[in-house]
């Protein structure tokens, strides 16, 4: 058994602000933990996981011509590397398939992670509609798994400003 602290998992998506990964790296660095960046492709469902951690997944759309192996957009890998440039934290990137909250929780169980880190969704109608139809990943994680959950706020509003979902109700 190793004396290394349990890893910290951070949920990542293409186009996500670098602050989510950067803040997760700060947390990992403070305790000397590895950082596992996890991308979950919700347009696919997992079939099995190979010994190297690669996920064999099938597209939900049966007419899709995508491959069976879940792949990570090279742009996402580069964005993570850029956000972590200069950090001394050891990190890795995993591709998962299925529901984001369920797969992040499953990975956390598999790795016995210390915590899960996610970012908030973008404000506005698009973000509110996504949260309404698919549910907030943070809320799902808070209710369906037992590990600490850290939510990195992106574009928080001040105490005097109207909450983003209230603006969409008008």
């Amino acid at each position: 058994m190793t004396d290394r602290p349990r890893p910290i998992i951070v949920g990542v998506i293409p186009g996500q602000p670098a602050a989510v990964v950067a803040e997760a790296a700060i947390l990992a660095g403070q305790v000397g933990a590895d950082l596992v960046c996890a991308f979950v492709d919700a347009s696919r469902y997992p079939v099995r996981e190979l010994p190297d951690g690669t996920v064999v997944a099938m597209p939900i759309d049966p007419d899709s011509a995508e491959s069976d192996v879940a792949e990570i957009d090279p742009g996402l890998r580069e964005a993570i590397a850029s956000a972590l440039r200069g950090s001394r934290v050891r990190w890795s990137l995993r591709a998962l398939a299925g529901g984001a909250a369920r797969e992040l929780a499953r990975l956390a169980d598999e790795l016995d992670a210390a915590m899960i880190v996610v970012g908030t969704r973008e404000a506005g109608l698009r973000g509110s509609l996504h949260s309404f139809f698919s549910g907030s990943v943070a809320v799902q994680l808070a209710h369906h798994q037992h590990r600490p959950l850290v939510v990195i706020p992106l574009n928080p509003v001040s105490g005097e400003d109207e909450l983003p979902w209230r603006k969409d109700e008008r």
Side-chain angles (χ1 to χ4, degrees), residues 44-131:
R44 303 169 68 80
Y45 65 93
V47 176
R48 71 179 186 279
E49 185 173 345
L50 302 176
D52 68 354
T54 303
V55 173
V56 176
M58 299 299 292
I60 292 173
D61 177 4
D63 295 330
S64 176
E66 296 179 20
S67 73
D68 293 350
V69 177
E71 295 179 7
I72 296 172
D73 175 3
L76 177 59
R77 184 179 304 277
E78 179 51 41
I80 293 167
S82 178
L84 296 176
R85 198 160 282 125
S87 171
R88 302 182 118 185
V89 171
R90 284 190 340 188
W91 66 278
S92 60
L93 180 56
R94 300 274 298 261
L96 307 171
R102 185 183 71 242
E103 291 304 313
L104 289 172
R106 184 193 60 72
L107 180 61
D109 286 342
E110 175 187 321
L111 301 178
D112 191 26
M115 70 180 68
I116 301 171
V117 178
V118 295
T120 56
R121 277 240 167 244
E122 65 184 285
L125 182 60
R126 184 172 165 235
S128 297
L129 284 174
H130 177 81
S131 289

Side-chain angles (χ1 to χ4, degrees), residues 1-7 31-34 90:
M1 181 166 170
T2 179
D3 290 333
R4 190 141 185 91
R6 296 177 0 218
V31 297
D34 291 346
R90 284 190 340 188

